[in-house]
Structure formats: structure tokens, C-alpha cells
Amino acid sequence: MQQDAVSLKALAAALGAAVAADGREDAEVGDVVIMEPGEALTPVPGALVLAVGTRGATAVTSAAEAGATAVAVRLGTGEDALPDAVRRAAEASGIAVLGIASGTRWEEVAAEARRVREAGGRRPERRGDLFSLAQTVATLSSGVVSIEDNAHRVLAYAGPGDEADELRRQSILGRACPEPYLAMLRESGVYRRTRTPGEVVEVEARPELGLSRRLVIGISAGGRPLGTIWVQEGGRPLAPTTERALRGAARIAAPQLIDLYYEGDPNARLISRSALAHGLLTGRFNSAALARHLGIEASAAAAVVAFDLREQPADGSDVSGQEARRAEAAEIIAVHAAAGRTNALVVQACGQIYAMLPQPEPVGTGRAGADGSDDEPLLRWATEVVATLRRHLKTPVQAVVAGTAARLEDIPAVKLRGYNALQVMARTPERSVDTHRNLRAALVVRDLLRLLEEHDEIRDPALRDLVARDVQQGTRLADSLLRYLDAFGDVAAVAKTLNIHPNTLRYRVRKAAALTGLDLDDPEHRLLAMLQLRLGRATPQESADPFPTAAGDASVSSPP
């Protein structure tokens, strides 16, 4: 896209306009030109023409003849769709038409169109994180979102522009809520109720005023109100989790609005906070000092939950796309985390995402211990977050409840447990969420296999020869023996898995024992065979697999 150009789709969304584009939604809009009544347009290739003073098809035809990409016409009072005559003129002339709501001032439309064009369709950098947060809330709620400061000025917005109601359109175009609506909201006590921390207020639909149903929550810090977050119901009902998403978003928005009030740089503050949180996760700096900066009690315990989107493009061509989805996932996780914990921290590290959830009670006071003995609440929370991520990102996300660090300085060790557990889970994609405690045995086996892999001198040569013999002769003696041992000698079950007769399995097991000299009545012989044959199952291209798999390759399950 050229400098200072924006797609018609982005422009229509920003203006909250009805649109007739007929496949031209991605066309670029360059300049913004105002056409007065009776004015003959000079050539304006690629421009958006604002047809001031006329709504008819004549303006559409004139703009098309001047080479414009699109023309904006005003809708009649009470209309929310373009008139048929205007649509027919657009189809005949091959130009896109935007329908601007009645009552909207043309200078507001021109200013907003130029602002969006100059940003190239991107959100403004200064308030980029508020726009990102608004988009996350819109994603989680299925609604149309706006974030306002205490003077009711719109700071950020997101959601489908064509589903915006009259209030939303006027608020976005005017950059503030219209005074008649403000008076109505004040009289009904909405703003008074938003001053109660954590309270989500419902505003019922008022069709006669062009007002759809919406939910709103106040943003505050230290008892001082800072602003509000609004979610308007659009073409479908709001998601059941909208209230929880609003509570989390309000906590995340508070420090950003504090910076805006004091004319600071919210991006610099958030980058600094992110860097501090990353230092806490990795142990790069003194944890007590970091805790003071992050507003966390130095004596607090902290649970750690690790997430992986499981995106690995074979050719590495979509790195930027991965980074964008990971950033979106981190924002969604942060909203969920902030809804339950005031000082929750979410950090990207090692290609994964980690949620650190500080809790004021020291370990041993009835909550989760350092060994993760009470993982159930975290497991339920992680399961809900993974389901949300799979639904919105369409990737086979997995998560591990790594456990709870007794002290903040123990977080890096718990983080490492989560990292290792996610590596193990990658071999069983049917698992969406698990705990480090459940995976501990698999991790121990993996470490033992690495030890065997690195020290050839402690392996049994006969078992190594058995694996090599299978490769050379195309037999499956080693694999059959391992499956037999894993199944505690259940011949019928293993034979069914391998799709062979039970007598065939018995023959393979006897022959493998004869070739290797194993005494299968000796528990140490059995243990040695189970460990070394698992190592033999791995190919040179993959790490040792601590999990036995069914016949055939396991495939990554599709997200719900």
C-alpha cells in the first residue's frame, strides 16, 4: 500500500459507514476531496469524495467520472442502508459508496478520514496499546468496543464498523460522546455506578435513540476514576464471558491512562514493565527489587502457567505472522489473567507465553504449594484460556500449569519446568492442558533417555543390535517387545494395537528375548529394555520420545 493510503475496508470501519463496494473493499483510498452541490469535479484518481449537500445518484456518477475510488453520501434520517438508486448508480459506474449517518458533520467525516489515511490504516502509535486492548476485548466479546477517558473522549476503538449504532458512530467521528447521550447516561446513574471498582453496568437498548444494548466498566487507580470501556452489542449477542473480559481489560488499561493523564509515553512505560516482568521470569535481576517496581509483595508466592501456540511453519516463511498471533495471544491471556489477579504478569519468552500470577498468601497457608499440590483452580483457568485461544487463533494451543513458586526468586525454576513440560506435551497433541506434576514421570524418563543417548558405553549392545537388525531386515521385534513391556504383558491388547495375531506377538517377544539374552522375569532386565528400546524408537531427526504411541503417525488435532 502506498504512503498515506488506506484500504476502503479500513476507512469504512473507522467511519462506521454503510458500504456498497462489490468486491472493491481492498481498493486504496488516497486523498479526501469535498464536493459542494453543483460543483464540477476535476480528475481525482484514487480519492474519497465527500458529496456535501446531496445524497443522490448524480453525485455517485460525477465522482466515478472524476476517477475517484469511493464517494461518501449522507443517509436519510432513520436510514441505515444505502438507497436502491444509489446502489444502482454505484454498480453502473464501478465506484464504491459509503453511507454516512444522518446528523454527522462533514468536517468530522473529513478529519477522521484523513487521520485514518495518514496512519495508513494502522492505529496511532501513541495509543497503540489501547487500540490493541480494545481489539482484544472486541474479539473476546463479539462486540463493538470503545475506550474513553474521564472527559468522555474516545481514545481507542475496535470491532466491526458496520455493526456500530448511532451513538458509536457519532462518538468515533466526533472523538467524544454526544452531549444528549451523556445527559441520559448521567440521569440513569450509569456513570455513578462505573465508579465502583469491578462493577460492570448494563445499558439497555433504546431503539428510538439509535442506541443498542451495551456493557460498560470504569477504569480507576487508587480510587481515582480514569475512564471507561464500552462494549456495544452488534449483529450477534455478546459472549457470556464479556463481563470477565471487561474486568481484566480495565485493570490492564489503568496504567496506560495514568500515563496519558500525565502526558507520559504509555508505550515506553509498558515496554519497561514488560522488560521488568521478563527479568522476573528469567531471573536476570534481583527479584525483590523487581517486585517493588512491579507493585508486588516481595514475599508473595506466584503461580506460573506456560502456553505454546504450536505454530511451526515448515519453511519458516510466516515468522512475522507468528509474532503477530503470539502478541494477540499474549493480550488475550493478559485480559483473562487480570480478571482474576490484580498484579498478573504475562510475558513472551523462548517462543512461548508465560502467565505469572502472584498471590499474597505465603505457600503453606492453604493455597497451592511449591510442588503444585493444588493445581485444580489453575488447571480450570488454563483450560478456559486455551479453549478461547484455539477458537480465536485457530492454532492447536497447549498449556502447562508449571506450579507455584514459594518466593518470587523461584519463578525462573518453575518457568523452566513449564518449558520442559511443554516440550513433552508436543508429542501428545491431543492433550490441550496438563500440569507439570502429571508430566513429571515423563520428564524423568526423557532425562534418562538423554543420559543413555549421550553415553553409549552404558547401553546394552544386544538391545542396540536388535534395533539395528529390525532396520536391516524390516522386522518389528524391538517395537513389539517394547509395546509388550509397556502393556504389562497384555498380549491381547498389544496384538490388537499392532493388528496381528496374539501368537505372532508371543513369537516376536520370545525371539527378541533369545537374540538379546534378556530374562523377562527379571525386573531389572525389563526396566533396562524399556528404557533403551524407547531410545531406539527415536529417529535421528527427532528427540527421544518418552511416550509410546499407537500404530501410525499421530497428527495434530484441529482446534475447536
Side-chain angles (χ1 to χ4, degrees):
M1 182 175 290
Q2 64 182 8
Q3 184 76 16
D4 289 350
V6 64
S7 73
L8 181 63
K9 180 179 180 180
L11 195 58
L15 297 173
V19 61
D22 192 24
R24 297 184 298 280
E25 290 85 356
D26 294 327
E28 293 182 5
V29 173
D31 200 4
V32 179
V33 176
I34 296 178
M35 180 176 67
E36 299 290 348
E39 178 184 358
L41 280 177
T42 57
V44 286
L48 167 66
V49 173
L50 307 184
V52 177
T54 177
R55 294 190 295 114
T58 303
V60 175
T61 303
S62 298
E65 291 173 349
T69 294
V71 58
V73 300
R74 193 190 301 280
L75 299 174
T77 303
E79 294 180 5
D80 58 5
L82 291 164
D84 290 341
V86 171
R87 287 185 176 275
R88 286 194 297 269
E91 293 170 1
S93 57
I95 190 173
V97 181
L98 304 182
I100 304 300
S102 173
T104 306
R105 297 194 301 272
W106 281 112
E107 59 267 28
E108 294 174 352
V109 176
E112 181 67 6
R114 290 191 175 106
R115 187 196 65 78
V116 175
R117 185 207 65 189
E118 289 166 3
R122 300 182 301 274
R123 56 181 181 264
E125 291 299 325
R126 173 167 167 75
R127 294 172 182 169
D129 288 286
L130 284 176
F131 273 83
S132 176
L133 181 61
Q135 181 57 59
T136 299
V137 176
T139 298
L140 295 175
S141 66
S142 303
V144 184
V145 177
S146 62
I147 301 177
E148 300 179 5
D149 65 12
N150 232 20
H152 313 298
R153 293 173 299 194
V154 177
L155 304 176
Y157 52 87
D162 58 352
E163 296 182 9
D165 64 7
E166 181 67 15
L167 172 56
R168 169 72 179 341
R169 281 193 288 265
Q170 292 194 28
S171 296
I172 296 302
L173 292 175
R175 311 304 293 173
C177 183
E179 183 56 40
Y181 289 106
L182 284 175
M184 183 195 71
L185 294 171
R186 291 191 193 101
E187 290 172 5
S188 61
V190 170
Y191 282 111
R192 175 180 51 78
R193 292 176 62 190
T194 61
R195 293 177 180 270
T196 302
E199 182 174 356
V200 178
V201 182
E202 179 178 4
V203 181
E204 295 182 354
R206 297 283 299 276
E208 73 279 9
L209 298 177
L211 183 65
S212 300
R213 173 178 177 264
R214 57 206 341 111
L215 299 178
V216 57
I217 190 171
I219 306 168
S220 62
R224 175 183 177 179
L226 301 173
T228 50
I229 304 178
W230 298 79
V231 180
Q232 175 221 307
E233 194 167 70
R236 51 181 171 162
L238 295 178
T241 57
T242 298
E243 290 192 18
R244 190 167 10 170
L246 279 171
R247 291 189 182 97
R251 287 176 175 170
I252 293 173
Q256 300 178 50
L257 290 188
I258 290 173
D259 274 330
L260 290 175
Y261 272 112
Y262 290 98
E263 298 184 352
D265 182 351
N267 289 328
R269 175 189 177 107
L270 289 169
I271 291 171
S272 174
R273 183 175 175 83
S274 176
L276 292 171
H278 192 276
L280 188 62
L281 181 74
T282 59
R284 292 172 55 199
F285 304 107
N286 179 273
S287 60
L290 290 175
R292 286 194 294 272
H293 284 289
L294 292 167
I296 303 171
E297 291 291 335
S299 61
V304 179
V305 182
F307 298 83
D308 197 311
L309 300 190
R310 298 305 188 203
E311 286 191 309
Q312 298 293 336
D315 59 0
S317 60
D318 191 29
V319 174
S320 59
Q322 279 186 280
E323 291 176 350
R325 282 185 290 277
R326 199 177 297 127
E328 183 180 358
E331 187 99 56
I332 290 174
I333 295 168
V335 168
H336 278 267
R341 300 281 177 92
T342 303
N343 290 317
L345 303 168
V346 175
V347 179
Q348 296 185 52
C350 306
Q352 297 163 340
I353 305 169
Y354 294 85
M356 294 175 282
L357 308 172
Q359 50 196 47
E361 297 87 345
V363 172
T365 59
R367 303 195 72 163
D371 62 349
S373 56
D374 185 19
D375 290 331
E376 271 309 309
L378 289 171
L379 194 60
R380 289 194 298 270
W381 177 79
T383 300
E384 180 180 339
V385 175
V386 166
T388 300
L389 292 172
R390 287 189 172 202
R391 184 167 59 252
H392 291 295
L393 301 181
K394 309 302 181 187
T395 65
V397 185
Q398 289 183 306
V400 168
V401 176
T404 301
R407 300 172 298 276
L408 294 183
E409 64 187 25
D410 296 330
I411 285 179
V414 180
K415 178 260 183 187
L416 185 60
R417 293 189 340 210
Y419 176 80
N420 288 329
L422 281 172
Q423 284 188 320
V424 168
M425 280 189 71
R427 299 294 298 165
T428 54
E430 66 277 5
R431 302 185 187 194
S432 60
V433 180
D434 213 327
T435 68
H436 175 269
R437 188 156 57 106
N438 289 343
L439 297 169
R440 189 177 297 156
L443 287 163
V444 171
V445 170
R446 186 192 66 165
D447 290 342
L448 288 173
L449 292 180
R450 285 178 175 170
L451 184 64
L452 283 173
E453 190 174 29
E454 294 168 1
H455 295 276
D456 183 71
E457 71 277 7
I458 64 175
R459 295 187 227 166
D460 184 343
L463 288 168
R464 184 177 53 210
D465 292 343
L466 181 66
V467 173
R469 182 182 186 278
D470 278 344
V471 173
Q472 293 168 0
Q473 300 185 11
T475 55
R476 297 189 64 181
L477 297 181
D479 181 58
S480 298
L481 175 58
L482 178 55
R483 291 176 185 274
Y484 171 83
L485 294 171
D486 284 337
F488 295 98
D490 189 337
V491 172
V494 176
K496 184 177 181 180
T497 298
L498 293 174
N499 196 26
I500 60 177
H501 194 279
N503 287 341
T504 302
L505 177 62
R506 292 188 183 97
Y507 166 77
R508 290 180 182 179
V509 171
R510 286 195 303 269
K511 187 165 185 178
L515 289 171
T516 57
L518 287 172
D519 179 1
L520 297 183
D521 292 328
D522 186 322
E524 292 182 345
H525 280 224
R526 293 196 302 270
L527 178 59
L528 170 63
M530 291 176 73
L531 286 173
Q532 190 167 323
L533 290 178
R534 282 173 184 252
L535 181 62
R537 173 181 282 146
T539 67
Q541 287 76 35
E542 62 184 3
S543 60
D545 175 12
F547 294 105
T549 57
D553 295 330
S555 60
V556 177
S557 57
S558 299

